[in-house]
Amino acid sequence: MDVFYECQVINDFIEGGSESKARDELIKLLDYHKQESIPYDPLVNNLIRQVGLYPYIDTETSSWQDRFVYESFKSDIGGEFKVTLHREQSLILKKLTEGRDLAVSAPTSFGKSFIIDAFISIKKPKNIVIIVPTIALTDETRRRLQRKFSGLYKIITTSDVNVSDNNIFIFPQERAAHYVDKLEKIDMLVIDEFYKASEKFDKERSSSLISVILRLGRKAGQKYFLAPNISKINESVFTRDMEFVHIDFNTVYLEKHDLFNEIKGDENLKSEALLRILGSSSGKTLIYAGTYSNIDKVANLLIDNHDPVESEVLRNFEHWLVSNYDRNWHLTNLVKRGCGIHNGQLHRSLSQIQVRLFEVDEGLKNLVSTSSIIEGVNTCAENVVVWRNRNGQSKLNDFTYKNIIGRGGRMFKHFVGKIYVLEEPPVSTETELDLSFPDDLVGTIDEEEFKKELTSEQIAKIISYKEEMSAILGDEVFKSMKDESVFESSSSYLIRDIARDIADKSSEWNGLGYLNSNNPDDWDRLLY
């Protein structure tokens, strides 16, 4: 590669106003420098500065002007050392420190956690609430913030913990409901993966997240919502007066290989392609299988064609799986071959262990997954293989597809993420986020408190619901259940239907108390 010629091409893109293309070409050039162990010269450093990728500047070989930019964009993110932010991170941080409410759509590789940490270090809020989509991400976020801020803040991740003067609350939305009435004021409310507040993206849990956004949002001095791949947000009470910032700023380059054109649906060719990809790469590979049955197919393929690997940590994990699960289980046989599985059926601890092992050099080389890998799991790989264009029973949509391939590459580790598509992907579309007021909230919302945000029809539904539930349960019981946040993580109408059924067919429900028995045999009739 002629480095000077490539720099000229990149500069032409910059001069022509095509900064995104310039950044992509520059990242590929930086990857070449890494592969060939070539130091950056001042020209390369200058181009890095021009496209806003300030953390990549090599201060040993850069001009004083570029070193000045590198130092100027350093920020305290907690911990021992300051970190240089890239241009778009710095832009978002500036808006937040000015007190603006933001809804931000940014790529997976954007580095959003640095902004949250920097905001805490700079503004020192007394109470900050961070809502994350999963318990796994709760634990990960807690570990990161505990290392940096445990001396200044009480880090709270579970219910019924006494608050301190300065607190960082990290919850999935269901746990957050228990603190709604305990917190009089919140300095900052952070909603990670806020697109899940739309029923379109998370039918089962969207209403509980909407409830948290509505109730905690009214107590928050400032709001910061984060999501990937959103092109537009429709006006709603939940994002009213928030500035929407759509950022198309990749810190890595996705090199796509559309192998489906030559595979043409042939399962044998697909299998051969996967084995060829895995055999030719020494880096980590994430294999998106799409369904449980396809995970089994890929697992069998890997078991049949891969020999056991020499790794003490994997050998210890394999022995633990043999002792606690089964010697002949797919996962046991995969682990000894340097491969793992990630899906919603596995025990959460097993998924967390495998993600950790996927992150370390001597751990898992390949990870076969369903869409669970993008559900609140922060992991990336040098290679991403899209084995199947499915997401459970449905076809993969463009939003989820972009989220999956966005796991390719990682700042400072893999400049280029290689994406191998073995089945034709969905048509590229823009994703508009529509946050509406779900009927499931009728059991949790006070119509007087939120009358400005509710329509007359919604208020009528809430009043009708309250009257019916009070008639079935009695005023005191219904009030007690509301005060204990019983309805927060469930469908209000499902609870109503169960209450109706118990009232109308009490004999069929007789014996619920047996579920409290210490003898599992007593549970059978009620469970089944």
Side-chain angles (χ1 to χ4, degrees), residues 335-372:
V335 164
K336 71 170 69 173
R337 291 166 171 80
C339 305
I341 291 174
H342 196 287
N343 64 45
Q345 290 184 333
L346 284 175
H347 292 157
R348 183 161 47 89
S349 58
L350 285 180
S351 298
Q352 289 176 314
I353 290 169
Q354 290 183 89
V355 168
R356 294 258 192 114
L357 289 173
F358 191 60
E359 296 287 317
V360 298
D361 291 338
E362 68 276 14
L364 297 170
K365 182 173 180 285
N366 308 311
L367 195 61
V368 189
S369 81
T370 59
S371 61
S372 64

Side-chain angles (χ1 to χ4, degrees), residues 465-509:
Y465 183 87
K466 284 182 175 181
E467 290 175 348
E468 182 172 7
M469 290 298 284
S470 292
I472 296 172
L473 302 174
D475 291 338
E476 291 300 318
V477 173
F478 179 57
K479 182 179 182 304
S480 173
M481 291 178 73
K482 280 198 66 178
D483 291 345
E484 292 172 12
S485 302
V486 170
F487 302 103
E488 293 292 346
S489 58
S490 304
S491 163
S492 296
Y493 285 122
L494 175 60
I495 292 176
R496 181 203 61 187
D497 292 344
I498 292 172
R500 278 179 179 173
D501 203 63
I502 292 175
D504 296 341
K505 306 171 186 175
S506 57
S507 60
E508 293 181 15
W509 290 83

Side-chain angles (χ1 to χ4, degrees), residues 5 27 55 59 135 186 248 297 299 314 320 323 408 452 454 487:
Y5 173 75
I27 292 170
T59 56
I135 293 175
I186 301 166
D248 183 16
K297 283 183 183 178
L314 292 184
W320 185 84
S323 299
K452 292 182 180 179
L454 298 169
F487 302 103

Side-chain angles (χ1 to χ4, degrees), residues 429-471:
T429 57
E430 290 193 343
T431 301
E432 292 188 14
L433 189 63
D434 184 10
L435 302 182
S436 57
F437 203 105
D439 284 346
D440 279 349
L441 290 186
V442 295
T444 64
I445 296 298
D446 188 303
E447 73 278 9
E448 283 297 320
E449 185 180 1
F450 295 100
K451 60 185 177 183
K452 292 182 180 179
E453 288 88 357
L454 298 169
T455 66
S456 56
E457 182 183 357
Q458 289 164 341
I459 290 173
K461 286 182 178 179
I462 293 172
I463 293 172
S464 174
Y465 183 87
K466 284 182 175 181
E467 290 175 348
E468 182 172 7
M469 290 298 284
S470 292

